[in-house]
Amino acid sequence: MELLEVLKEKNRNFSIAELAEAMELPPSTVHRILQTFCEKKYVIRDDRSHTYRLGPALIPLGKAAHSILTQLAKQTKEDAYLVIPVGNKGLVIEKVDGPSHLKVVEEFGYEMYMHCGAIRKVLLAWQSPTFIDEYFRTIIIHDQAFPHVRPDDLREELKKIRQDGYAITRGEYVNDAVGIGAPVFNSEGELAGSIGIIAPE
């Protein structure tokens, strides 16, 4: 619990060494505790920087959005999702099922790269120019991620998403399906996540 309090207080990423120093514990002990928390999504590990931060299981955003997702699923009759950015990926932290028979395998804890589908593209569109440039350098240009896209086309699409305030995609990773996503901002006006639906075309 003390470890979670340290992570919560600063609201940033920590290395194992920093956490060990803050808690006055051996790094091996801190590492063992972190492994347990990561399994339950209480803590998220950034594989690029080897640092840790609070995970979606402790983010109140999901609970706060549940009633909105329920209303969205009821009105559209489709599954509604809340996704947050974690590293280079979008992570589902809340989902409400609609009555539609089309079901996409997107459950809590499901991660995909940010350029995949409307709900995640919104997350990428609202990142800083530095983040987007790094994303293109490490993910898009090297063809690491599905779906494969042309960098110039994606840059134009992200620009349009910012201008429109929402994203629509068709059949990007589910055939004959349409994704619609929009950003969710916190009280400071910063991107907190994205909300949207996946529906038959």
Side-chain angles (χ1 to χ4, degrees):
M1 295 308 295
E2 190 179 325
L3 175 63
L4 294 178
E5 287 296 324
V6 172
L7 289 167
K8 183 178 76 173
E9 184 184 350
K10 300 294 184 182
N11 193 24
R12 66 173 179 84
N13 286 30
F14 285 84
S15 67
I16 288 179
E18 289 173 320
L19 290 168
E21 183 181 350
M23 296 177 63
E24 298 178 358
L25 286 173
S28 59
T29 303
V30 172
H31 182 256
R32 196 165 56 248
I33 296 169
L34 286 168
Q35 281 184 308
T36 303
F37 281 142
C38 284
E39 286 174 15
K40 299 295 184 184
K41 299 288 185 185
Y42 287 122
V43 174
I44 294 289
R45 181 179 189 268
D46 187 324
D47 290 328
R48 285 186 305 161
S49 61
H50 304 293
T51 56
Y52 297 81
R53 67 179 177 85
L54 284 184
L58 292 173
I59 295 174
L61 181 62
K63 290 181 175 60
H66 187 81
S67 63
I68 295 169
L69 290 177
T70 300
Q71 185 180 351
L72 184 59
K74 185 178 178 182
Q75 287 179 340
T76 62
K77 297 180 172 50
E78 306 296 342
D79 297 349
Y81 300 88
L82 176 67
V83 178
I84 62 166
V86 176
N88 287 322
K89 296 182 178 179
L91 175 75
V92 174
I93 65 165
E94 190 69 47
K95 174 191 175 187
V96 172
D97 290 331
S100 171
H101 294 299
L102 174 74
K103 293 298 172 190
V104 179
V105 183
E106 288 255 15
E107 302 297 341
F108 175 82
Y110 195 76
E111 293 181 345
M112 291 183 76
Y113 281 108
M114 279 192 204
H115 72 284
C116 186
I119 306 172
R120 288 179 175 85
K121 274 186 179 170
V122 165
L123 298 177
L124 185 56
W126 263 270
Q127 297 298 322
S128 68
T130 305
F131 181 100
I132 292 173
D133 287 344
E134 179 67 15
Y135 186 91
F136 272 74
R137 230 181 347 264
T138 58
I139 307 299
I140 301 301
I141 293 175
H142 296 290
D143 276 345
Q144 286 186 23
F146 170 85
H148 298 306
V149 292
R150 291 182 50 199
D152 290 346
D153 291 345
L154 181 57
R155 282 194 184 274
E156 283 303 310
E157 187 178 4
L158 295 177
K159 200 180 298 181
K160 186 176 188 313
I161 291 168
R162 284 288 291 249
Q163 289 170 350
D164 295 344
Y166 61 89
I168 298 176
T169 56
R170 291 175 173 84
E172 285 200 348
Y173 68 101
V174 179
N175 290 333
D176 303 318
V178 173
I180 305 171
V184 176
F185 300 101
N186 64 21
S187 57
E188 280 79 47
E190 302 161 334
L191 181 76
S194 60
I195 194 169
I197 61 168
I198 300 173
E201 191 163 13

